Amino acid sequence: MPLPFLTADRAFDATDDVALPFDDHDQWRRPYRPGPWRVGAAALALLLASFVLFAAVIITAAGAMGGATVTFGLAALIIVAAVRMLRVGTWVSRHGLRRVGFLSTTTVAWNRVTQVRTAQQPVRWLGLPRTVQGQALILVRQGGEPVTLLTDHNADFLSRIEAFDRAADTVEAWNAEYGVVVTAAR
């Protein structure tokens, strides 16, 4: 079963300097591959789910249907969490930019984006409360506060500086292609 949210298109691997390497710009795409930390955590969660499913089968064979139902439900919850963990990230299309979190999703149309820029600032390490000095891709919306889209120390880009730079450049290129040019008021 292909999982399109796991990988970017093969066109993104090309060595061409194409800013928008996808053919269909209407489809939501992540302009980078999920990092090894994110994939590893999801794989461990799916491994745990397989053990829980095995336990549920044993409980079912023992005849305790109430416990089996709870155990199957727990396994389903772990599987849903692992898949959702893989979907977390920044997605782009012709319609705008989408920031998918574990529990929420925010979509901003390109005409509401005033700026997408990379900045040096303290960033959270793997999403934990500890902060380190790093780079962040920041989205500035019209009439809103800046939102951090990507950091070089999150689960997708830890120890992958080149991948962060390529992803930031790609999101900035999508903004340049579909965003509204904002001029300074005099």
Side-chain angles (χ1 to χ4, degrees):
M1 177 171 117
L3 301 174
F5 54 84
L6 267 181
T7 60
D9 278 358
R10 285 177 180 53
F12 196 69
D13 292 334
T15 57
D16 302 338
D17 289 333
V18 179
L20 308 177
F22 308 111
D23 293 333
D24 184 12
H25 290 194
D26 289 326
Q27 185 176 3
W28 288 99
R29 300 184 185 276
R30 182 185 351 226
Y32 57 90
R33 294 185 186 281
W37 289 92
R38 185 174 311 284
V39 173
L44 287 175
L46 291 174
L47 180 65
L48 175 65
S50 69
F51 287 121
V52 172
L53 283 171
F54 185 66
V57 169
I58 292 172
I59 293 170
T60 303
M65 287 305 179
T69 303
V70 170
T71 309
F72 276 120
L74 179 64
L77 186 67
I78 294 171
I79 292 169
V80 167
V83 171
R84 185 65 184 181
M85 191 180 331
L86 289 172
R87 291 194 56 86
V88 168
T90 300
W91 298 69
V92 292
S93 81
R94 178 187 323 260
H95 308 291
L97 189 135
R98 182 173 285 172
R99 184 174 180 258
V100 178
F102 189 73
L103 297 176
S104 66
T105 300
T106 305
T107 303
V108 179
W110 287 119
N111 60 3
R112 302 276 304 150
V113 174
T114 58
Q115 186 180 28
V116 177
R117 61 183 163 82
T118 305
Q120 287 281 355
Q121 66 181 35
V123 295
R124 294 171 63 178
W125 182 77
L126 287 177
L128 299 172
R130 177 181 175 215
T131 60
V132 295
Q133 188 65 24
Q135 289 187 6
L137 183 66
I138 299 172
L139 165 78
V140 181
R141 294 181 280 183
Q142 292 176 353
E145 63 184 44
V147 177
T148 301
L149 297 174
L150 308 170
T151 68
D152 62 348
H153 285 82
N154 69 5
D156 290 321
F157 301 111
L158 189 63
S159 301
R160 297 176 56 215
I161 300 301
E162 298 83 20
F164 172 79
D165 291 338
R166 189 170 53 242
D169 291 343
T170 303
V171 173
E172 289 171 351
W174 278 83
N175 182 46
E177 179 73 21
Y178 295 111
V180 176
V181 178
V182 178
T183 58
R186 293 184 196 201

PDB file of all heavy atoms in Angstrom, residues 110-148:
ATOM      1  N   TRP A 110      -2.145  31.587   0.253  1.00  0.00           N
ATOM      2  CA  TRP A 110      -0.959  32.356  -0.127  1.00  0.00           C
ATOM      3  C   TRP A 110      -1.236  33.858  -0.128  1.00  0.00           C
ATOM      4  O   TRP A 110      -0.342  34.650   0.169  1.00  0.00           O
ATOM      5  CB  TRP A 110      -0.456  31.926  -1.502  1.00  0.00           C
ATOM      6  CG  TRP A 110       0.216  30.598  -1.513  1.00  0.00           C
ATOM      7  CD1 TRP A 110      -0.157  29.499  -2.214  1.00  0.00           C
ATOM      8  CD2 TRP A 110       1.395  30.205  -0.787  1.00  0.00           C
ATOM      9  NE1 TRP A 110       0.695  28.452  -1.971  1.00  0.00           N
ATOM     10  CE2 TRP A 110       1.658  28.864  -1.091  1.00  0.00           C
ATOM     11  CE3 TRP A 110       2.237  30.851   0.108  1.00  0.00           C
ATOM     12  CZ2 TRP A 110       2.735  28.166  -0.557  1.00  0.00           C
ATOM     13  CZ3 TRP A 110       3.303  30.159   0.643  1.00  0.00           C
ATOM     14  CH2 TRP A 110       3.545  28.831   0.307  1.00  0.00           C
ATOM     15  N   ASN A 111      -2.465  34.271  -0.440  1.00  0.00           N
ATOM     16  CA  ASN A 111      -2.737  35.709  -0.461  1.00  0.00           C
ATOM     17  C   ASN A 111      -2.792  36.312   0.942  1.00  0.00           C
ATOM     18  O   ASN A 111      -2.845  37.521   1.095  1.00  0.00           O
ATOM     19  CB  ASN A 111      -4.023  36.014  -1.223  1.00  0.00           C
ATOM     20  CG  ASN A 111      -5.238  35.348  -0.621  1.00  0.00           C
ATOM     21  OD1 ASN A 111      -5.159  34.696   0.414  1.00  0.00           O
ATOM     22  ND2 ASN A 111      -6.365  35.515  -1.285  1.00  0.00           N
ATOM     23  N   ARG A 112      -2.791  35.483   1.998  1.00  0.00           N
ATOM     24  CA  ARG A 112      -2.750  35.965   3.378  1.00  0.00           C
ATOM     25  C   ARG A 112      -1.331  35.954   3.943  1.00  0.00           C
ATOM     26  O   ARG A 112      -1.103  36.392   5.064  1.00  0.00           O
ATOM     27  CB  ARG A 112      -3.649  35.112   4.270  1.00  0.00           C
ATOM     28  CG  ARG A 112      -5.097  35.048   3.860  1.00  0.00           C
ATOM     29  CD  ARG A 112      -5.922  36.178   4.351  1.00  0.00           C
ATOM     30  NE  ARG A 112      -5.824  36.266   5.797  1.00  0.00           N
ATOM     31  CZ  ARG A 112      -5.924  37.394   6.462  1.00  0.00           C
ATOM     32  NH1 ARG A 112      -6.121  38.509   5.823  1.00  0.00           N
ATOM     33  NH2 ARG A 112      -5.822  37.414   7.769  1.00  0.00           N
ATOM     34  N   VAL A 113      -0.360  35.445   3.186  1.00  0.00           N
ATOM     35  CA  VAL A 113       1.030  35.360   3.631  1.00  0.00           C
ATOM     36  C   VAL A 113       1.766  36.615   3.176  1.00  0.00           C
ATOM     37  O   VAL A 113       1.759  36.948   1.992  1.00  0.00           O
ATOM     38  CB  VAL A 113       1.717  34.099   3.055  1.00  0.00           C
ATOM     39  CG1 VAL A 113       3.196  34.083   3.404  1.00  0.00           C
ATOM     40  CG2 VAL A 113       1.023  32.848   3.540  1.00  0.00           C
ATOM     41  N   THR A 114       2.382  37.306   4.123  1.00  0.00           N
ATOM     42  CA  THR A 114       3.159  38.484   3.737  1.00  0.00           C
ATOM     43  C   THR A 114       4.630  38.152   3.540  1.00  0.00           C
ATOM     44  O   THR A 114       5.298  38.785   2.741  1.00  0.00           O
ATOM     45  CB  THR A 114       3.043  39.605   4.795  1.00  0.00           C
ATOM     46  OG1 THR A 114       3.499  39.106   6.048  1.00  0.00           O
ATOM     47  CG2 THR A 114       1.612  40.077   4.919  1.00  0.00           C
ATOM     48  N   GLN A 115       5.129  37.146   4.270  1.00  0.00           N
ATOM     49  CA  GLN A 115       6.552  36.835   4.159  1.00  0.00           C
ATOM     50  C   GLN A 115       6.824  35.422   4.674  1.00  0.00           C
ATOM     51  O   GLN A 115       6.216  34.976   5.642  1.00  0.00           O
ATOM     52  CB  GLN A 115       7.353  37.849   4.980  1.00  0.00           C
ATOM     53  CG  GLN A 115       8.838  37.732   4.856  1.00  0.00           C
ATOM     54  CD  GLN A 115       9.539  38.775   5.708  1.00  0.00           C
ATOM     55  OE1 GLN A 115       9.034  39.223   6.725  1.00  0.00           O
ATOM     56  NE2 GLN A 115      10.730  39.163   5.285  1.00  0.00           N
ATOM     57  N   VAL A 116       7.741  34.742   4.003  1.00  0.00           N
ATOM     58  CA  VAL A 116       8.298  33.480   4.481  1.00  0.00           C
ATOM     59  C   VAL A 116       9.802  33.678   4.484  1.00  0.00           C
ATOM     60  O   VAL A 116      10.387  33.982   3.448  1.00  0.00           O
ATOM     61  CB  VAL A 116       7.904  32.289   3.582  1.00  0.00           C
ATOM     62  CG1 VAL A 116       8.564  31.019   4.058  1.00  0.00           C
ATOM     63  CG2 VAL A 116       6.393  32.118   3.556  1.00  0.00           C
ATOM     64  N   ARG A 117      10.411  33.543   5.666  1.00  0.00           N
ATOM     65  CA  ARG A 117      11.851  33.833   5.760  1.00  0.00           C
ATOM     66  C   ARG A 117      12.522  32.865   6.729  1.00  0.00           C
ATOM     67  O   ARG A 117      11.881  32.265   7.580  1.00  0.00           O
ATOM     68  CB  ARG A 117      12.079  35.264   6.218  1.00  0.00           C
ATOM     69  CG  ARG A 117      11.508  35.551   7.591  1.00  0.00           C
ATOM     70  CD  ARG A 117      11.692  37.015   7.987  1.00  0.00           C
ATOM     71  NE  ARG A 117      10.837  37.389   9.080  1.00  0.00           N
ATOM     72  CZ  ARG A 117      11.093  37.158  10.366  1.00  0.00           C
ATOM     73  NH1 ARG A 117      12.212  36.561  10.709  1.00  0.00           N
ATOM     74  NH2 ARG A 117      10.251  37.544  11.295  1.00  0.00           N
ATOM     75  N   THR A 118      13.831  32.744   6.578  1.00  0.00           N
ATOM     76  CA  THR A 118      14.639  31.934   7.483  1.00  0.00           C
ATOM     77  C   THR A 118      15.327  32.879   8.462  1.00  0.00           C
ATOM     78  O   THR A 118      15.832  33.929   8.064  1.00  0.00           O
ATOM     79  CB  THR A 118      15.696  31.141   6.700  1.00  0.00           C
ATOM     80  OG1 THR A 118      15.035  30.379   5.700  1.00  0.00           O
ATOM     81  CG2 THR A 118      16.463  30.208   7.598  1.00  0.00           C
ATOM     82  N   ALA A 119      15.341  32.498   9.748  1.00  0.00           N
ATOM     83  CA  ALA A 119      15.940  33.353  10.772  1.00  0.00           C
ATOM     84  C   ALA A 119      16.710  32.507  11.766  1.00  0.00           C
ATOM     85  O   ALA A 119      16.351  31.366  12.038  1.00  0.00           O
ATOM     86  CB  ALA A 119      14.862  34.149  11.499  1.00  0.00           C
ATOM     87  N   GLN A 120      17.790  33.094  12.300  1.00  0.00           N
ATOM     88  CA  GLN A 120      18.534  32.482  13.404  1.00  0.00           C
ATOM     89  C   GLN A 120      17.816  32.858  14.690  1.00  0.00           C
ATOM     90  O   GLN A 120      17.581  34.035  14.952  1.00  0.00           O
ATOM     91  CB  GLN A 120      19.967  33.014  13.447  1.00  0.00           C
ATOM     92  CG  GLN A 120      20.846  32.501  12.362  1.00  0.00           C
ATOM     93  CD  GLN A 120      21.338  31.091  12.651  1.00  0.00           C
ATOM     94  OE1 GLN A 120      21.103  30.536  13.704  1.00  0.00           O
ATOM     95  NE2 GLN A 120      22.028  30.522  11.696  1.00  0.00           N
ATOM     96  N   GLN A 121      17.477  31.862  15.505  1.00  0.00           N
ATOM     97  CA  GLN A 121      16.785  32.126  16.755  1.00  0.00           C
ATOM     98  C   GLN A 121      16.853  30.885  17.631  1.00  0.00           C
ATOM     99  O   GLN A 121      17.195  29.807  17.150  1.00  0.00           O
ATOM    100  CB  GLN A 121      15.325  32.504  16.501  1.00  0.00           C
ATOM    101  CG  GLN A 121      14.489  31.373  15.921  1.00  0.00           C
ATOM    102  CD  GLN A 121      13.061  31.809  15.671  1.00  0.00           C
ATOM    103  OE1 GLN A 121      12.821  32.944  15.318  1.00  0.00           O
ATOM    104  NE2 GLN A 121      12.129  30.911  15.860  1.00  0.00           N
ATOM    105  N   PRO A 122      16.507  31.005  18.904  1.00  0.00           N
ATOM    106  CA  PRO A 122      16.412  29.803  19.736  1.00  0.00           C
ATOM    107  C   PRO A 122      15.247  28.932  19.246  1.00  0.00           C
ATOM    108  O   PRO A 122      14.152  29.437  19.009  1.00  0.00           O
ATOM    109  CB  PRO A 122      16.133  30.347  21.137  1.00  0.00           C
ATOM    110  CG  PRO A 122      16.578  31.763  21.099  1.00  0.00           C
ATOM    111  CD  PRO A 122      16.384  32.227  19.691  1.00  0.00           C
ATOM    112  N   VAL A 123      15.511  27.649  19.055  1.00  0.00           N
ATOM    113  CA  VAL A 123      14.486  26.715  18.579  1.00  0.00           C
ATOM    114  C   VAL A 123      14.404  25.536  19.542  1.00  0.00           C
ATOM    115  O   VAL A 123      15.358  25.227  20.254  1.00  0.00           O
ATOM    116  CB  VAL A 123      14.785  26.225  17.148  1.00  0.00           C
ATOM    117  CG1 VAL A 123      14.723  27.369  16.151  1.00  0.00           C
ATOM    118  CG2 VAL A 123      16.120  25.522  17.064  1.00  0.00           C
ATOM    119  N   ARG A 124      13.267  24.882  19.552  1.00  0.00           N
ATOM    120  CA  ARG A 124      13.077  23.726  20.422  1.00  0.00           C
ATOM    121  C   ARG A 124      13.764  22.512  19.803  1.00  0.00           C
ATOM    122  O   ARG A 124      13.676  22.278  18.608  1.00  0.00           O
ATOM    123  CB  ARG A 124      11.593  23.467  20.618  1.00  0.00           C
ATOM    124  CG  ARG A 124      10.955  24.606  21.394  1.00  0.00           C
ATOM    125  CD  ARG A 124       9.479  24.513  21.433  1.00  0.00           C
ATOM    126  NE  ARG A 124       9.072  23.297  22.146  1.00  0.00           N
ATOM    127  CZ  ARG A 124       7.821  22.967  22.363  1.00  0.00           C
ATOM    128  NH1 ARG A 124       6.860  23.743  21.932  1.00  0.00           N
ATOM    129  NH2 ARG A 124       7.515  21.860  23.008  1.00  0.00           N
ATOM    130  N   TRP A 125      14.433  21.739  20.639  1.00  0.00           N
ATOM    131  CA  TRP A 125      15.154  20.549  20.205  1.00  0.00           C
ATOM    132  C   TRP A 125      14.192  19.366  20.235  1.00  0.00           C
ATOM    133  O   TRP A 125      13.701  18.993  21.297  1.00  0.00           O
ATOM    134  CB  TRP A 125      16.360  20.320  21.111  1.00  0.00           C
ATOM    135  CG  TRP A 125      17.205  19.163  20.732  1.00  0.00           C
ATOM    136  CD1 TRP A 125      18.110  19.108  19.716  1.00  0.00           C
ATOM    137  CD2 TRP A 125      17.245  17.893  21.375  1.00  0.00           C
ATOM    138  NE1 TRP A 125      18.697  17.880  19.685  1.00  0.00           N
ATOM    139  CE2 TRP A 125      18.184  17.113  20.698  1.00  0.00           C
ATOM    140  CE3 TRP A 125      16.579  17.343  22.452  1.00  0.00           C
ATOM    141  CZ2 TRP A 125      18.470  15.809  21.065  1.00  0.00           C
ATOM    142  CZ3 TRP A 125      16.869  16.047  22.822  1.00  0.00           C
ATOM    143  CH2 TRP A 125      17.805  15.298  22.120  1.00  0.00           C
ATOM    144  N   LEU A 126      13.893  18.791  19.076  1.00  0.00           N
ATOM    145  CA  LEU A 126      12.962  17.668  18.914  1.00  0.00           C
ATOM    146  C   LEU A 126      11.596  17.945  19.546  1.00  0.00           C
ATOM    147  O   LEU A 126      10.919  17.037  20.011  1.00  0.00           O
ATOM    148  CB  LEU A 126      13.552  16.375  19.489  1.00  0.00           C
ATOM    149  CG  LEU A 126      14.672  15.739  18.691  1.00  0.00           C
ATOM    150  CD1 LEU A 126      15.213  14.515  19.416  1.00  0.00           C
ATOM    151  CD2 LEU A 126      14.195  15.353  17.305  1.00  0.00           C
ATOM    152  N   GLY A 127      11.191  19.201  19.572  1.00  0.00           N
ATOM    153  CA  GLY A 127       9.895  19.563  20.118  1.00  0.00           C
ATOM    154  C   GLY A 127       9.824  19.574  21.631  1.00  0.00           C
ATOM    155  O   GLY A 127       8.756  19.781  22.202  1.00  0.00           O
ATOM    156  N   LEU A 128      10.937  19.336  22.287  1.00  0.00           N
ATOM    157  CA  LEU A 128      10.980  19.324  23.751  1.00  0.00           C
ATOM    158  C   LEU A 128      11.155  20.748  24.276  1.00  0.00           C
ATOM    159  O   LEU A 128      11.500  21.659  23.524  1.00  0.00           O
ATOM    160  CB  LEU A 128      12.127  18.426  24.220  1.00  0.00           C
ATOM    161  CG  LEU A 128      12.019  16.948  23.794  1.00  0.00           C
ATOM    162  CD1 LEU A 128      13.290  16.201  24.135  1.00  0.00           C
ATOM    163  CD2 LEU A 128      10.820  16.306  24.458  1.00  0.00           C
ATOM    164  N   PRO A 129      10.948  20.967  25.563  1.00  0.00           N
ATOM    165  CA  PRO A 129      11.089  22.326  26.110  1.00  0.00           C
ATOM    166  C   PRO A 129      12.498  22.904  26.006  1.00  0.00           C
ATOM    167  O   PRO A 129      12.674  24.110  26.040  1.00  0.00           O
ATOM    168  CB  PRO A 129      10.684  22.166  27.575  1.00  0.00           C
ATOM    169  CG  PRO A 129       9.854  20.948  27.617  1.00  0.00           C
ATOM    170  CD  PRO A 129      10.380  20.054  26.542  1.00  0.00           C
ATOM    171  N   ARG A 130      13.506  22.065  25.873  1.00  0.00           N
ATOM    172  CA  ARG A 130      14.887  22.556  25.782  1.00  0.00           C
ATOM    173  C   ARG A 130      15.076  23.317  24.470  1.00  0.00           C
ATOM    174  O   ARG A 130      14.692  22.842  23.407  1.00  0.00           O
ATOM    175  CB  ARG A 130      15.840  21.371  25.828  1.00  0.00           C
ATOM    176  CG  ARG A 130      17.268  21.772  25.671  1.00  0.00           C
ATOM    177  CD  ARG A 130      18.186  20.581  25.700  1.00  0.00           C
ATOM    178  NE  ARG A 130      19.527  21.031  25.414  1.00  0.00           N
ATOM    179  CZ  ARG A 130      20.397  20.323  24.745  1.00  0.00           C
ATOM    180  NH1 ARG A 130      20.084  19.137  24.318  1.00  0.00           N
ATOM    181  NH2 ARG A 130      21.597  20.793  24.532  1.00  0.00           N
ATOM    182  N   THR A 131      15.675  24.496  24.540  1.00  0.00           N
ATOM    183  CA  THR A 131      15.931  25.268  23.327  1.00  0.00           C
ATOM    184  C   THR A 131      17.425  25.349  23.060  1.00  0.00           C
ATOM    185  O   THR A 131      18.242  25.349  23.980  1.00  0.00           O
ATOM    186  CB  THR A 131      15.367  26.701  23.430  1.00  0.00           C
ATOM    187  OG1 THR A 131      15.982  27.366  24.527  1.00  0.00           O
ATOM    188  CG2 THR A 131      13.863  26.691  23.586  1.00  0.00           C
ATOM    189  N   VAL A 132      17.756  25.405  21.787  1.00  0.00           N
ATOM    190  CA  VAL A 132      19.129  25.563  21.321  1.00  0.00           C
ATOM    191  C   VAL A 132      19.121  26.623  20.225  1.00  0.00           C
ATOM    192  O   VAL A 132      18.066  26.944  19.670  1.00  0.00           O
ATOM    193  CB  VAL A 132      19.714  24.226  20.785  1.00  0.00           C
ATOM    194  CG1 VAL A 132      19.832  23.199  21.890  1.00  0.00           C
ATOM    195  CG2 VAL A 132      18.890  23.691  19.649  1.00  0.00           C
ATOM    196  N   GLN A 133      20.288  27.154  19.910  1.00  0.00           N
ATOM    197  CA  GLN A 133      20.383  28.140  18.841  1.00  0.00           C
ATOM    198  C   GLN A 133      20.315  27.410  17.505  1.00  0.00           C
ATOM    199  O   GLN A 133      21.026  26.440  17.280  1.00  0.00           O
ATOM    200  CB  GLN A 133      21.683  28.930  18.949  1.00  0.00           C
ATOM    201  CG  GLN A 133      21.775  30.103  18.003  1.00  0.00           C
ATOM    202  CD  GLN A 133      20.747  31.181  18.302  1.00  0.00           C
ATOM    203  OE1 GLN A 133      20.250  31.304  19.412  1.00  0.00           O
ATOM    204  NE2 GLN A 133      20.422  31.973  17.298  1.00  0.00           N
ATOM    205  N   GLY A 134      19.445  27.862  16.626  1.00  0.00           N
ATOM    206  CA  GLY A 134      19.314  27.205  15.332  1.00  0.00           C
ATOM    207  C   GLY A 134      18.597  28.092  14.334  1.00  0.00           C
ATOM    208  O   GLY A 134      18.379  29.276  14.569  1.00  0.00           O
ATOM    209  N   GLN A 135      18.223  27.490  13.219  1.00  0.00           N
ATOM    210  CA  GLN A 135      17.513  28.201  12.169  1.00  0.00           C
ATOM    211  C   GLN A 135      16.046  27.789  12.186  1.00  0.00           C
ATOM    212  O   GLN A 135      15.718  26.650  12.506  1.00  0.00           O
ATOM    213  CB  GLN A 135      18.091  27.866  10.797  1.00  0.00           C
ATOM    214  CG  GLN A 135      19.446  28.436  10.536  1.00  0.00           C
ATOM    215  CD  GLN A 135      19.854  28.189   9.100  1.00  0.00           C
ATOM    216  OE1 GLN A 135      19.091  27.695   8.285  1.00  0.00           O
ATOM    217  NE2 GLN A 135      21.084  28.525   8.777  1.00  0.00           N
ATOM    218  N   ALA A 136      15.204  28.726  11.818  1.00  0.00           N
ATOM    219  CA  ALA A 136      13.774  28.460  11.737  1.00  0.00           C
ATOM    220  C   ALA A 136      13.225  29.099  10.474  1.00  0.00           C
ATOM    221  O   ALA A 136      13.666  30.178  10.074  1.00  0.00           O
ATOM    222  CB  ALA A 136      13.058  29.004  12.958  1.00  0.00           C
ATOM    223  N   LEU A 137      12.286  28.423   9.850  1.00  0.00           N
ATOM    224  CA  LEU A 137      11.544  28.993   8.726  1.00  0.00           C
ATOM    225  C   LEU A 137      10.282  29.599   9.319  1.00  0.00           C
ATOM    226  O   LEU A 137       9.494  28.906   9.959  1.00  0.00           O
ATOM    227  CB  LEU A 137      11.194  27.921   7.692  1.00  0.00           C
ATOM    228  CG  LEU A 137      10.485  28.433   6.445  1.00  0.00           C
ATOM    229  CD1 LEU A 137      11.418  29.342   5.648  1.00  0.00           C
ATOM    230  CD2 LEU A 137      10.008  27.271   5.596  1.00  0.00           C
ATOM    231  N   ILE A 138      10.116  30.900   9.124  1.00  0.00           N
ATOM    232  CA  ILE A 138       9.046  31.640   9.778  1.00  0.00           C
ATOM    233  C   ILE A 138       8.058  32.148   8.736  1.00  0.00           C
ATOM    234  O   ILE A 138       8.460  32.691   7.700  1.00  0.00           O
ATOM    235  CB  ILE A 138       9.605  32.808  10.599  1.00  0.00           C
ATOM    236  CG1 ILE A 138      10.526  32.246  11.679  1.00  0.00           C
ATOM    237  CG2 ILE A 138       8.503  33.661  11.195  1.00  0.00           C
ATOM    238  CD1 ILE A 138      11.283  33.280  12.443  1.00  0.00           C
ATOM    239  N   LEU A 139       6.774  31.982   9.033  1.00  0.00           N
ATOM    240  CA  LEU A 139       5.687  32.475   8.190  1.00  0.00           C
ATOM    241  C   LEU A 139       5.086  33.691   8.873  1.00  0.00           C
ATOM    242  O   LEU A 139       4.750  33.641  10.061  1.00  0.00           O
ATOM    243  CB  LEU A 139       4.613  31.394   8.030  1.00  0.00           C
ATOM    244  CG  LEU A 139       3.268  31.840   7.487  1.00  0.00           C
ATOM    245  CD1 LEU A 139       3.367  32.025   5.980  1.00  0.00           C
ATOM    246  CD2 LEU A 139       2.211  30.829   7.824  1.00  0.00           C
ATOM    247  N   VAL A 140       4.974  34.788   8.131  1.00  0.00           N
ATOM    248  CA  VAL A 140       4.341  35.997   8.656  1.00  0.00           C
ATOM    249  C   VAL A 140       3.047  36.187   7.880  1.00  0.00           C
ATOM    250  O   VAL A 140       3.053  36.304   6.660  1.00  0.00           O
ATOM    251  CB  VAL A 140       5.256  37.236   8.493  1.00  0.00           C
ATOM    252  CG1 VAL A 140       4.584  38.475   9.057  1.00  0.00           C
ATOM    253  CG2 VAL A 140       6.597  36.993   9.164  1.00  0.00           C
ATOM    254  N   ARG A 141       1.911  36.183   8.620  1.00  0.00           N
ATOM    255  CA  ARG A 141       0.594  36.357   8.014  1.00  0.00           C
ATOM    256  C   ARG A 141       0.149  37.801   8.110  1.00  0.00           C
ATOM    257  O   ARG A 141       0.620  38.550   8.967  1.00  0.00           O
ATOM    258  CB  ARG A 141      -0.448  35.499   8.732  1.00  0.00           C
ATOM    259  CG  ARG A 141      -0.225  34.043   8.569  1.00  0.00           C
ATOM    260  CD  ARG A 141      -1.305  33.287   9.269  1.00  0.00           C
ATOM    261  NE  ARG A 141      -0.983  33.257  10.698  1.00  0.00           N
ATOM    262  CZ  ARG A 141      -1.688  32.624  11.598  1.00  0.00           C
ATOM    263  NH1 ARG A 141      -2.770  31.994  11.259  1.00  0.00           N
ATOM    264  NH2 ARG A 141      -1.319  32.621  12.858  1.00  0.00           N
ATOM    265  N   GLN A 142      -0.777  38.188   7.247  1.00  0.00           N
ATOM    266  CA  GLN A 142      -1.348  39.525   7.324  1.00  0.00           C
ATOM    267  C   GLN A 142      -2.124  39.655   8.622  1.00  0.00           C
ATOM    268  O   GLN A 142      -3.008  38.857   8.904  1.00  0.00           O
ATOM    269  CB  GLN A 142      -2.294  39.774   6.144  1.00  0.00           C
ATOM    270  CG  GLN A 142      -1.613  39.849   4.819  1.00  0.00           C
ATOM    271  CD  GLN A 142      -2.613  39.992   3.679  1.00  0.00           C
ATOM    272  OE1 GLN A 142      -3.806  39.915   3.863  1.00  0.00           O
ATOM    273  NE2 GLN A 142      -2.091  40.180   2.474  1.00  0.00           N
ATOM    274  N   GLY A 143      -1.777  40.645   9.423  1.00  0.00           N
ATOM    275  CA  GLY A 143      -2.473  40.903  10.665  1.00  0.00           C
ATOM    276  C   GLY A 143      -2.293  39.832  11.723  1.00  0.00           C
ATOM    277  O   GLY A 143      -3.066  39.767  12.669  1.00  0.00           O
ATOM    278  N   GLY A 144      -1.298  39.004  11.591  1.00  0.00           N
ATOM    279  CA  GLY A 144      -1.083  37.943  12.571  1.00  0.00           C
ATOM    280  C   GLY A 144       0.349  37.911  13.042  1.00  0.00           C
ATOM    281  O   GLY A 144       1.224  38.587  12.512  1.00  0.00           O
ATOM    282  N   GLU A 145       0.573  37.107  14.041  1.00  0.00           N
ATOM    283  CA  GLU A 145       1.926  36.982  14.566  1.00  0.00           C
ATOM    284  C   GLU A 145       2.697  35.936  13.767  1.00  0.00           C
ATOM    285  O   GLU A 145       2.098  35.061  13.129  1.00  0.00           O
ATOM    286  CB  GLU A 145       1.884  36.610  16.039  1.00  0.00           C
ATOM    287  CG  GLU A 145       1.237  35.271  16.316  1.00  0.00           C
ATOM    288  CD  GLU A 145       1.141  34.999  17.797  1.00  0.00           C
ATOM    289  OE1 GLU A 145       0.764  35.910  18.549  1.00  0.00           O
ATOM    290  OE2 GLU A 145       1.440  33.862  18.191  1.00  0.00           O
ATOM    291  N   PRO A 146       4.013  36.006  13.765  1.00  0.00           N
ATOM    292  CA  PRO A 146       4.817  35.033  13.023  1.00  0.00           C
ATOM    293  C   PRO A 146       4.624  33.612  13.566  1.00  0.00           C
ATOM    294  O   PRO A 146       4.468  33.411  14.762  1.00  0.00           O
ATOM    295  CB  PRO A 146       6.250  35.507  13.243  1.00  0.00           C
ATOM    296  CG  PRO A 146       6.146  36.920  13.668  1.00  0.00           C
ATOM    297  CD  PRO A 146       4.831  37.051  14.369  1.00  0.00           C
ATOM    298  N   VAL A 147       4.644  32.658  12.657  1.00  0.00           N
ATOM    299  CA  VAL A 147       4.481  31.251  12.998  1.00  0.00           C
ATOM    300  C   VAL A 147       5.720  30.505  12.522  1.00  0.00           C
ATOM    301  O   VAL A 147       6.152  30.674  11.379  1.00  0.00           O
ATOM    302  CB  VAL A 147       3.226  30.661  12.314  1.00  0.00           C
ATOM    303  CG1 VAL A 147       3.096  29.180  12.595  1.00  0.00           C
ATOM    304  CG2 VAL A 147       1.987  31.405  12.743  1.00  0.00           C
ATOM    305  N   THR A 148       6.300  29.684  13.373  1.00  0.00           N
ATOM    306  CA  THR A 148       7.462  28.874  12.989  1.00  0.00           C
ATOM    307  C   THR A 148       6.968  27.634  12.260  1.00  0.00           C
ATOM    308  O   THR A 148       6.204  26.842  12.811  1.00  0.00           O
ATOM    309  CB  THR A 148       8.271  28.473  14.227  1.00  0.00           C
ATOM    310  OG1 THR A 148       8.698  29.660  14.890  1.00  0.00           O
ATOM    311  CG2 THR A 148       9.482  27.647  13.835  1.00  0.00           C
TER     312      THR A 148
END
